[in-house]
Amino acid sequence: MKKTMLFAAMAAVAMTSCNQNEMEGPEMQGGSQLAEIKIGQTVEGLLTKAAINKGDVVEATIIASPGAAPSDWTTFVPVTENTFGSASDAWNAATFANVAVGSFEAGTNMAVGLNPTLYAKSTEATDLTGATLTGVAPKGTVAQGKVTFPAIDGQQDVMIAQTTAQNKVTFNQGVGSIDPFQLNFEHKTAQLRFRFASLNTTGNGAWVGANIKVKSVTVKKAYLPTAVRLGTPTSEVIWTNTPQSVLLDNFTIAEVLETYNSAGDNKPDFITVDKQALVKPGVGVEVDVVLTVDGKDKSYTAIKPMKDGSALTTVEGMYHNISLTVKQPIVPTGSPEIVATATVTDWGEGDEGEAELK
């Protein structure tokens, strides 16, 4: 599976791209026992058209645990603000932030900005403290051993970077530094993409020349991510207890084509609507679709995309192309059929599904 890679480097050099009061915290002097955490990033999923696209601003929760990660994360007390006065202050868990929002622009080489700045702490005599890092995207609220997301809407591209091994601070001429961390962010949802075509095999369908648009797609019986339960060594997604419906509508790309074989593949020409659903993997897919034909709604319910004759089952970290083919009726009063098939593309790419609307 392709992964989102974040590289966390701890150094004593301050970021020059942001205001010290906003991002950096107190300046560290020579002989400091603190090493500032710095993060760079790449987003490999952009190469496979992940839910996060090039240019998007990504915000993740970054957690720095002094020393080893807690065996019981319910005992972890989040601190989201640095309130110590200077580098000469004695270490106090209540005055040094251990949770920050890491922000970066996907598809660029820009460093990740941490707000607030996170520090690793040690003593020159022992070099025993250091830190571990854990990452969860999108950003959320850390409490009671969980990172809870602000929205439950089927639009959250949930990724987890499992807790790293402990890195220790070392000193050179009294200035602390720490070996780089590597956080491997993995997608934890399955992504559903929907594409549509209009098929008029007889040449005299009732909708020839009609304006056909996708009004809405509703993903039914889906389980959605609500939070991540922090754990050592493994953190896990918490899903809704009961199945939910995810409504996708107000598409920018919505007009269904009537053309065929433009690519020379003897297949209808599909358009892909510009919204996706991100759901719990390992669960079957069922959707309702509403089309408008010359301004009049046509509804299709309980469509179950198929893959090689069997119901499509979603896979973690994969996006599934669900192809919905509208088979035009012969007369305007006829009920058009939707034929649904599915393929899976690595975001990872998963199985595709398909169905006919007829």
Side-chain angles (χ1 to χ4, degrees):
M1 177 187 305
K2 293 203 172 182
K3 299 176 180 177
T4 299
M5 312 293 292
L6 295 184
F7 301 94
M10 297 185 174
V13 180
M15 292 177 64
T16 59
S17 60
C18 55
N19 181 279
Q20 179 173 324
N21 293 329
E22 293 176 347
M23 297 288 288
E24 295 178 0
E27 183 178 356
M28 300 296 104
Q29 305 296 329
S32 169
Q33 296 178 3
L34 305 175
E36 183 179 344
I37 296 174
K38 295 288 189 176
I39 303 177
Q41 55 78 26
T42 62
V43 181
E44 293 187 4
L46 296 178
L47 302 178
T48 55
K49 301 181 181 177
I52 295 171
N53 295 302
K54 184 176 181 179
D56 290 344
V57 175
V58 179
E59 293 187 324
T61 296
I62 307 297
I63 302 170
S65 302
S71 57
D72 179 4
W73 278 89
T74 62
T75 65
F76 178 81
V77 179
V79 180
T80 58
E81 182 180 4
N82 287 315
T83 57
F84 65 93
S86 69
S88 61
D89 285 2
W91 177 269
N92 185 325
T95 60
F96 283 82
N98 54 21
V99 176
V101 175
S103 302
F104 61 94
E105 184 177 325
T108 72
N109 293 323
M110 69 177 291
V112 175
L114 286 176
N115 190 9
T117 301
L118 299 177
Y119 298 95
K121 185 259 185 184
S122 186
T123 64
E124 191 167 359
T126 62
D127 295 345
L128 291 179
T129 307
T132 62
L133 290 183
T134 307
V136 175
K139 68 177 182 180
T141 301
V142 182
Q144 299 177 336
K146 298 184 293 185
V147 180
T148 301
F149 306 125
I152 304 173
D153 56 6
Q155 300 296 297
Q156 306 305 310
D157 186 357
V158 175
M159 298 179 288
I160 300 176
Q162 303 294 352
T163 302
T164 66
Q166 180 181 348
N167 280 3
K168 298 177 182 179
V169 175
T170 57
F171 287 84
N172 181 13
Q173 296 182 350
V175 177
S177 64
I178 195 165
D179 289 338
F181 284 88
Q182 179 172 300
L183 294 181
N184 300 324
F185 275 74
E186 297 182 351
H187 297 283
K188 292 300 177 181
T189 60
Q191 183 186 163
L192 305 180
R193 301 178 180 181
F194 299 94
R195 61 183 201 148
F196 291 81
S198 178
L199 184 59
N200 181 14
T201 55
T202 63
N204 61 349
W207 296 354
V208 173
N211 185 358
I212 306 172
K213 292 185 177 180
V214 183
K215 183 176 182 179
S216 67
V217 177
T218 301
V219 181
K220 302 168 65 177
K221 303 177 183 178
Y223 293 86
L224 306 179
T226 65
V228 167
R229 181 180 291 109
L230 298 169
T232 303
T234 304
S235 298
E236 299 177 336
V237 177
I238 301 173
W239 307 93
T240 52
N241 291 324
T242 57
Q244 309 290 309
S245 292
V246 179
L247 174 64
L248 306 175
D249 59 3
N250 296 318
F251 302 113
T252 301
I253 301 171
E255 187 166 349
V256 182
L257 305 175
E258 284 191 283
T259 54
Y260 188 85
N261 198 35
S262 294
D265 55 3
N266 292 316
K267 295 181 180 180
D269 297 333
F270 284 91
I271 62 100
T272 302
V273 295
D274 52 300
K275 294 183 180 179
Q276 307 84 34
L278 295 152
V279 299
K280 182 179 181 179
V283 179
V285 178
E286 182 175 325
V287 298
D288 292 347
V289 173
V290 179
L291 304 178
T292 60
V293 182
D294 288 338
K296 295 181 179 180
D297 288 355
K298 299 286 185 179
S299 298
Y300 310 86
T301 59
I303 302 163
K304 296 180 179 180
M306 306 296 289
K307 170 62 178 176
D308 298 331
S310 301
L312 173 68
T313 299
T314 56
V315 180
E316 178 183 295
M318 303 288 182
Y319 72 76
H320 301 257
N321 282 322
I322 297 177
S323 303
L324 300 163
T325 306
V326 182
K327 299 186 74 174
Q328 294 188 22
I330 300 300
V331 296
T333 57
S335 296
E337 177 187 358
I338 291 183
V339 178
T341 62
T343 62
V344 179
T345 304
D346 190 11
W347 184 26
E349 180 173 2
D351 291 334
E352 294 187 2
E354 60 182 17
E356 290 185 349
L357 287 71
K358 59 185 178 181

